[in-house]
Amino acid sequence: MSPVLELRDITKVYGSGPDRVHALTGVSLTVHAGEMVAVMGPSGSGKSTLLTIAGSLERPTSGEVLVEGVPLAGMARADQARMRRRHVGYVFQDYNLLPGLTATENIALPLELDGVRAGRAAKAARQALAQVGLADQAGRYPDQLSGGQRQRVAIARALVGERRLLLADEPSGALDSRTGETVIRLLRSACREGAAAVLATHDAQLAAWADRVLFVRDGVAIDQTTPPSGPESLLAES
Ligand code: ADP
């Protein structure tokens, strides 16, 4: 079976002339269904750039991105957009919740855009909210929720539907450590059901939940290892 995500020799250069920034240089990464990979590195090392390219929100300067064996470069724009809506779940630093929609409506939106009827989409959204422990906040608007609650809504939105690739950028950012762990457990359980996840984090404790860790520095992948205590040992403790 094709890997869910394959990055081949990815380079990304922002700007031109003296302002050129090599955000990524020759990075390769393969993630199979069921796997969670953590990307670790200091601020500015290229973690977010790697995730936006993996999610086809941005094109690499050179190199190839394949999702389930299909090169993104050869895909029509409309097909790329459909693939993103249907199969890729994003949890990014600024959450991107729409302020005029309730928690449930924010989560249901990608399903509705994809043609799922409103009633079914709302039901799936309420289930996803319950999964992240926010069943009682369904009718609230983003500005009526705390930072941690908004992040959990963003995670519910990323998990709803049939997502095969989950991309999470610093999901522990606004969360206390217990909520951070809940989120990682949710990502892991999505992986057990066949999704692939890539998680960018500073936090070694969160990275320990991953099957592999890719270390980046100045846009270069410097190492790829198994975390010292693998995910199964952490799950066994629960
Ligand atoms: P990280 O997520 O590890 O903090 P980023 O991927 O955000 O790192 O950034 C990697 C490098 O690319 C940094 O030097 C950053 O300033 C630069 N960069 C990121 N996005 C842009 C952009 N849109 N335009 C110009 N430079 C950028």
Side-chain angles (χ1 to χ4, degrees), residues 41-110:
S43 181
S45 57
K47 302 184 296 298
S48 301
T49 303
L50 189 148
L51 288 189
T52 50
I53 288 174
S56 87
L57 297 170
E58 218 160 352
R59 284 167 180 269
T61 306
S62 65
E64 244 190 325
V65 183
L66 293 91
V67 175
E68 310 219 279
V70 181
L72 288 184
M75 227 186 246
R77 283 176 76 94
D79 291 338
Q80 275 196 29
R82 189 175 315 115
M83 193 268 310
R84 277 197 296 267
R85 275 200 313 270
R86 252 186 218 173
H87 300 310
V88 186
Y90 306 89
V91 188
F92 283 169
Q93 281 163 345
D94 54 5
Y95 322 141
N96 285 319
L97 298 177
L98 296 174
L101 299 183
T102 64
T104 308
E105 289 164 350
N106 262 288
I107 298 168
L109 183 65

Side-chain angles (χ1 to χ4, degrees), residues 12-15 19-24 39-52 58 93 169-170 200 202 216 218-219:
K12 178 70 183 177
V13 181
Y14 288 111
D19 297 330
R20 274 159 71 95
V21 176
H22 283 262
L24 292 174
V39 179
M40 287 194 82
S43 181
S45 57
K47 302 184 296 298
S48 301
T49 303
L50 189 148
L51 288 189
T52 50
E58 218 160 352
Q93 281 163 345
D169 201 354
E170 292 287 358
H202 286 98
V216 287
D218 297 331

Side-chain angles (χ1 to χ4, degrees), residues 10-11 22-27 44-47 216-222:
I10 298 291
T11 291
H22 283 262
L24 292 174
T25 306
V27 173
S45 57
K47 302 184 296 298
V216 287
R217 184 176 288 270
D218 297 331
V220 179
I222 51 175

Side-chain angles (χ1 to χ4, degrees), residues 32 44 46-47 61 84 97 119 128 156 178 201 213 223 230:
H32 288 92
K47 302 184 296 298
T61 306
R84 277 197 296 267
L97 298 177
R178 189 140 50 96
T201 183
V213 183
D223 197 8

Side-chain angles (χ1 to χ4, degrees), residues 151-176:
Q151 189 155 31
R152 279 192 276 166
V153 173
I155 286 158
R157 184 185 50 189
L159 294 174
V160 77
E162 293 169 28
R163 304 310 168 89
R164 293 211 279 269
L165 177 60
L166 299 171
L167 302 170
D169 201 354
E170 292 287 358
S172 70
L175 303 177
D176 61 55

